[in-house]
Amino acid sequence: MNYRHAYHAGNFADVVKHTVLCRLVEYLKQKDKPFRVIDTHAGIGRYDLASVEAGKTGEWQGGVGRLFEATLEPRAAALLQPYLQAVRAENPDGGLRCYPGSPLIVRHLLRKQDRLTAIELHPEDAARLKAVFAGDFQTRVIELDGWLALGAHLPPKEKRGLVLVDPPFEGEGEFPRLVENLRRAHRRWPGGIYALWYPVKDRKAVAAFRAALKETGIPKLFDIGFEIRPASNEPSLDGSGLVVVNPPFTLEGELRIMLPALHRLLAAEQPSRWTVDWLAGE
């Protein structure tokens, strides 16, 4: 899987990840106190859906392309509105040409007292991300290995906030690496909200990952699964997941409204399913 995100921006996995991300940020905004969002694998920030890369896969057409003009039942529409507003803000002419990555989506939602730290290792991508946020005093872009940020940048001075960990899963060992780095980060900042994205390609690897998370002893672990097709004979992205540490008490109820609506739009084949599951806690 070539994981330059330009090939995959706006696909079903992005839609699910970013809609949950928006609900987490909206929850943090319920208090006046400032917070910080740390995006450890931030990418380039803005993706052109008419680019050669996006055109090669067309994945966005089965993701944000289906949701952008969909008619949703009122409760789901209300919960998805912050996400859709962020996407529409990048497309002022009314069509769908640009897709905002996680740092731009977060930035769209922040209040004047909140801050964003966007971290990207790839030099060219980091340079493009810095250009997107040039002159923005609320956003700091750092060229750095995002895994290192889980030590060096925690806890943030605001003592409130969210860490999004969205690694590329380009090589072997990413699941154990995710578990170990979460364990280390949680020791430094046990009160933070963490959102960890993972692909559903190898079902055995996902099951082992979930079991390893349970063994960390972290007291509140909430797992969100979203599959668009049954397990394939050949490895493919059949689904994705998001593990949320210290989830807001509102999140599960919101997901039970959002995820059925998203699954009806985005599922490619049946049987497929969405799931919410407490790995530890509630």
Side-chain angles (χ1 to χ4, degrees), residues 72-80 250-264 274 276:
L72 301 163
E73 63 95 2
R75 294 186 306 161
L79 292 171
L80 292 167
T250 53
L251 183 63
E252 182 174 1
E254 292 176 346
L255 291 172
R256 291 188 181 278
I257 296 169
M258 288 167 45
L259 292 182
L262 290 175
H263 199 261
R264 281 192 291 271
W274 60 270
V276 292

Side-chain angles (χ1 to χ4, degrees), residues 180-217:
E180 185 51 41
N181 278 277
L182 172 62
R183 194 197 313 266
R184 181 164 57 96
H186 188 265
R187 282 198 299 264
R188 293 182 64 91
W189 190 31
I193 299 173
Y194 299 82
L196 290 74
W197 183 87
Y198 64 90
V200 176
K201 296 172 73 177
D202 180 338
R203 298 304 205 279
K204 289 183 179 179
V206 170
F209 170 60
R210 288 162 56 93
L213 284 170
K214 291 179 181 181
E215 293 174 2
T216 62

Side-chain angles (χ1 to χ4, degrees), residues 9 16 55 57 96 98 128 144 149-150 179-180 190 198 209 226 271 280:
V16 175
T57 64
L96 183 56
C98 291
R128 293 178 67 177
L144 180 71
L150 291 173
V179 173
E180 185 51 41
Y198 64 90
F209 170 60
F226 195 94

